[in-house]
Amino acid sequence: MRATLSTLCVTAVFLASGLGWGAGETSASSSWSAESCPTLREGSPEELGLDSTPLVEAADRLRRWAEPATGRPLFAGAAVLYAHQNVVLRRDSAGYALRYADGEGRELPGEEQRPAGTGTVFDIASLSKLFTSVLVMRQVEEGALLLDAPVSRYVPEFGDNGKERVTLRQLLTHTSGLEPFLPLWRDWPDRESRLRAVLAVRPQVPPGSAYVYSDLNMIALMVVLERVTGLPLDELLRRDVTEPLGLAGTGFRNADDPVGDVAATEYQVVPARGMVHGEVHDENAWSLGGVSGHAGMFSTIDDLAVFGQTMLNGGCYGGARILRPSTVRQMLTNHNDAFPSNPRGLGFELDQPFYMGGLSGPLTAGHTGYTGTSLVLDPLSNSVVVLLTNRVHPSRDWGSINPARAAVSDALASVVGRGDGNSP
């Protein structure tokens, strides 16, 4: 499922935007040095001739959602960052990184609670998939992987049970036919058997016949990466993305890492983990040692803004390049024309108004995470919105944060003149 007209449209928009997409096509890994690419700087809406009122109003809503006058909060704590034209317009935080003692909502004593700040580290859940996708595409650039090659070329055992023709592209676009989820933590005893279960699973629907969002796709891609590079995913991430970009607050965590300013997530009874704090929330990622292709990473609003700006720049930031411009164009182009309700780039979601709000459009890219996170990249206005929350603290059953996701995107859309600033 190759995009043709879509690719031409994306290329034209990015070349016209002047975001560095026409820069040289040197291999990303031949050197970490690059031409001087745009970086984010501190600023304000006013210095760009913009009205900051929508962002101020969004900050007030964020606080009211975190600490309502009555009833449960929409999320325990949150941090948000808005960037436009390489300027960080505003950061806000609200609520608590740690507030509750158990899943019933009983609060910790005041002195044990911890407020959320703009530097708080959050479990970013499925935003991890974007980083896995970047790592895959770096190996495509190197010639170690081919997008339309069968996965079984790199991991032979994956070809069992009707998956012999499933390609890397299908894993990245969630068209492989694999089911959404397996309870790896519950039904298999160790990491090795859990990974074997993922590789052996039979497709839920014929590969290429439907869009089925699946964590298993990204776990399989992790195995592919580890086989072709000889490195575990966390080391590969550090070498190829976080160190070059200077993302000191981003990565996978070990169980013995100090908690520091890390937001707590859920009080889990099954499995009996108690209050999950400093470890990954996702049970399958936890059962894989905290490192997985689908979840497990932690990050901050500033680090994710740098990552987002890197993609808008065409794969570089400052003096570092992690991807070629043509690779980024591929990643942010719709490859799911056959499934118009589910436009997808390679790893990235496209045009999702439920969280992209007024910034949404055919070229707008991003992703959400189960813990209450979202990243939105708008190439048309050169804008980034990062929202991180711990909405599962203390319970995943307290509801969706989609109203907040859309509201922060709407706020920036209003400021920069994208859409009407009111999501559906």
Side-chain angles (χ1 to χ4, degrees), residues 48-298:
L48 298 181
L50 303 172
D51 180 10
S52 62
T53 302
L55 302 186
V56 174
E57 293 173 345
D60 183 60
R61 294 182 73 183
L62 208 67
R63 286 188 289 270
R64 286 186 278 117
W65 274 321
E67 298 185 76
T70 60
R72 291 174 174 171
L74 190 65
F75 41 73
V80 63
L81 182 150
Y82 308 94
H84 174 62
Q85 297 293 345
N86 312 111
V87 176
V88 176
L89 302 181
R90 186 179 175 103
R91 299 177 186 84
D92 289 294
S93 62
Y96 295 86
L98 174 65
R99 180 176 181 178
Y100 297 102
D102 59 30
E104 301 302 315
R106 283 183 281 270
E107 294 192 18
L108 290 164
E111 66 274 12
E112 295 181 27
Q113 297 180 19
R114 296 290 181 269
T118 56
T120 295
V121 176
F122 287 84
D123 180 334
I124 64 173
S126 284
L127 296 189
S128 306
K129 293 179 171 72
L130 301 181
F131 289 86
T132 301
S133 301
V134 166
L135 293 173
V136 169
M137 295 308 294
R138 281 187 51 82
Q139 293 304 310
V140 171
E141 286 187 356
E142 289 295 310
L145 296 175
L146 296 174
L147 269 180
D148 293 307
V151 179
S152 58
R153 174 181 296 187
Y154 311 105
V155 182
E157 61 268 40
F158 184 86
D160 296 340
N161 292 324
K163 302 194 301 302
E164 62 277 359
R165 294 185 180 179
V166 172
T167 66
L168 296 175
R169 189 189 301 268
Q170 289 173 328
L171 295 182
L172 286 165
T173 57
H174 296 282
T175 56
S176 67
L178 300 187
E179 61 199 86
F181 171 82
L182 289 174
L184 302 176
W185 62 271
R186 186 192 69 192
D187 293 350
W188 288 270
D190 51 36
R191 185 178 191 271
E192 290 70 26
S193 62
R194 290 162 185 153
L195 292 178
R196 284 197 301 271
V198 171
L199 299 177
V201 69
R202 184 177 296 278
Q204 187 178 56
V205 297
S209 68
Y211 171 87
V212 181
Y213 180 83
S214 173
D215 286 348
L216 306 187
N217 289 324
M218 292 294 170
I219 298 174
L221 284 170
M222 174 181 70
V223 177
V224 170
L225 285 168
E226 293 185 343
R227 294 280 180 93
V228 299
T229 67
L231 293 173
L233 187 67
D234 53 345
E235 289 186 22
L236 189 63
L237 173 75
R238 188 162 50 247
R239 186 193 75 179
D240 286 1
V241 179
T242 59
E243 284 189 356
L245 295 180
L247 307 183
T250 300
F252 297 98
R253 289 179 56 83
N254 298 317
D256 57 354
D257 286 343
V259 171
D261 190 17
V262 177
T265 54
E266 187 175 30
Y267 187 88
Q268 291 189 357
V269 177
V270 181
R273 301 174 65 193
M275 186 62 71
V276 179
H277 192 191
E279 289 186 288
V280 59
H281 171 259
D282 183 274
E283 295 93 341
N284 279 345
W286 168 69
S287 77
L288 293 172
V291 178
S292 183
H294 76 290
M297 289 180 61
F298 290 72

Side-chain angles (χ1 to χ4, degrees), residues 290-335:
V291 178
S292 183
H294 76 290
M297 289 180 61
F298 290 72
S299 191
T300 64
I301 54 173
D302 277 274
D303 275 10
L304 288 174
V306 169
F307 175 75
Q309 190 63 53
T310 300
M311 300 303 291
L312 291 179
N313 288 348
C316 62
Y317 188 87
R321 175 169 292 285
I322 63 167
L323 291 171
R324 298 171 183 165
S326 58
T327 301
V328 179
R329 286 197 294 272
Q330 271 190 298
M331 295 187 74
L332 303 188
T333 297
N334 184 21
H335 294 254

Side-chain angles (χ1 to χ4, degrees), residues 5-20:
L5 181 60
S6 297
T7 303
L8 293 175
C9 292
V10 171
T11 302
V13 167
F14 278 89
L15 289 176
S17 70
L19 299 183

